[in-house]
């Protein structure tokens, strides 16, 4: 990536370059100096936006996880779709997003695996966001009479837990199995049926 | 354990002692000679029953997994219990068995973790046995009209996958969480509801 010092140095540009540097050097070797060099700026300029290497790594992890959340939020927020169909679409989009991240760029996925282990607070907040989106969909269904749940947050958590095989990166190796899509569909159908009013 | 050379040298005695030796020396150091010494016999006597160290390790893994299968088989085979209640009892017994194995003797659990990774064929056969038990319970429910499933083996697999958080040893660390039982109950209720006729 050629330095482009004429563009303003935004946090987004730093994070984009950080991801590129992580991809190139791997999670253990990448340094703030590498990021600054790739951007054609001093490392002081990077530190002005991110006070430490740990803060930079946390922010890039948050950005990576946030990409999935944004796509799922569109599904959760879509008006006029019945909750059962929305729930299915949301679970499918989550599985697709994770599978693509794992399959399209396995090295970057492994790199982020290291970063996720370092930033358990960021991961926990991410999982809470996802469960909250599920809760909104289930709550809509309960209000519309298409779904039934005595305790909506608990039901959202149960749906998330029951589908873990299809979003927990621990299972990434199994997402290449020829039967995985059928398995995903069977679990999704079971879970959605379990919530129907 | 004192040598007791007067007892006949059965495969079961060898496997019992192998587990004891694995517990004491760990999975990387334990040898067939250690097992023979603990039994007070020559290593040739052990090899007469198990032709190699690999065969002995496979057999002890199979025995360890088999203990859980035996308890679950009693539940699956119990006459006169309605399928939905049987399904719940079976899932609870599986979770309890795994939690106890992980929690009561964490060192032995870690040792078997190494053996499981070595003996993927044994593990696969074990998982198939468990899914087949689930299939029999679901099949009974379908026949009795209490459960609904178009494809019983696929439904059994879906129930097993949806409850993975509560039996897959990858999650063993989370089984100590104070909320894990509530989470297990929520997923089980969701899954059983998803199968009800």
């Amino acid at each position: 990536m050629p330095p482009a010092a004429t563009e303003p140095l935004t946090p987004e540009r730093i994070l984009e370059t950080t991801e590129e540097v992580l991809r190139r050097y791997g999670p253990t070797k990448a340094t703030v100096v590498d990021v600054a060099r790739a951007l054609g700026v001093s490392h002081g300029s990077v530190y002005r936006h991110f006070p430490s290497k740990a803060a930079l790594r946390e922010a890039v992890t948050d950005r990576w996880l946030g990409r999935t959340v944004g796509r799922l939020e569109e599904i959760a927020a879509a008006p006029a779709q019945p909750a059962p169909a929305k729930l299915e679409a949301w679970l499918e989009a989550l599985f697709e997003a994770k599978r693509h991240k794992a399959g399209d760029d396995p090295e970057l996925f492994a790199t982020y695996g290291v970063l996720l282990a370092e930033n358990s607070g960021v991961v926990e907040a991410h999982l809470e966001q996802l469960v909250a989106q599920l809760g909104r969909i289930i709550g809509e269904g309960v209000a519309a009479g298409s779904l039934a749940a005595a305790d909506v947050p608990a039901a959202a958590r149960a749906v998330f837990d029951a589908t873990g095989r299809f979003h927990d990166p621990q299972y990434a190796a199994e997402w290449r199995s020829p039967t995985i899509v059928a398995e995903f569909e069977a679990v999704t159908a079971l879970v959605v049926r379990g919530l129907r009013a």
Side-chain angles (χ1 to χ4, degrees), chain A:
Chain A
M1 178 182 3
T6 48
E7 284 178 50
L9 187 65
T10 59
E12 178 56 24
R13 266 192 70 218
I14 294 174
L15 293 175
E16 209 174 277
T17 303
T18 301
E19 186 172 284
E20 206 43 63
V21 166
L22 282 165
R23 186 198 308 270
R24 218 184 309 158
Y25 298 102
T28 46
K29 284 193 196 149
T31 67
V32 173
V33 170
D34 294 326
V35 173
R37 191 178 300 134
L39 283 160
V41 303
S42 71
H43 60 273
S45 308
V46 175
Y47 281 124
R48 215 163 295 133
H49 291 276
F50 299 98
S52 65
K53 182 177 162 182
L56 182 58
R57 286 166 83 92
E58 188 179 294
V60 80
T61 307
D62 192 45
R63 174 174 172 273
W64 193 63
L65 294 172
R67 268 181 249 162
T68 307
V69 173
R71 241 168 308 168
L72 294 169
E73 176 60 31
E74 282 172 38
I75 296 172
Q81 195 182 18
K86 203 184 253 198
L87 188 54
E88 273 174 27
W90 190 93
L91 289 169
E92 198 179 321
L94 176 59
F95 182 37
E96 276 306 300
K98 297 276 173 170
R99 268 176 95 200
H100 273 290
K101 276 186 174 174
D104 298 350
D105 195 339
E107 261 176 61
L108 191 65
F109 190 73
T111 289
Y112 273 110
V114 174
L115 291 173
L116 295 178
E118 268 173 26
N119 294 283
S120 59
V122 173
V123 173
E124 225 165 277
H126 169 69
L127 299 181
E128 269 171 38
Q129 278 182 305
L130 294 180
V131 173
Q133 289 185 358
L134 273 175
R136 276 162 44 211
I137 298 172
I138 295 170
E140 275 177 30
V142 170
S146 58
L147 298 179
D151 178 340
V152 169
R157 176 66 205 240
V159 170
F160 196 72
D161 287 346
T163 52
R165 181 178 171 80
F166 311 102
H167 53 70
D168 188 330
Q170 290 194 88
Y171 288 104
E174 303 193 25
W175 299 341
R176 294 191 296 264
S177 153
T179 56
I180 195 74
V181 170
E183 287 159 24
F184 166 76
E185 285 170 359
V187 169
T188 299
L190 179 67
V191 158
V192 173
R193 196 170 186 277
L195 280 176
R196 280 200 187 266

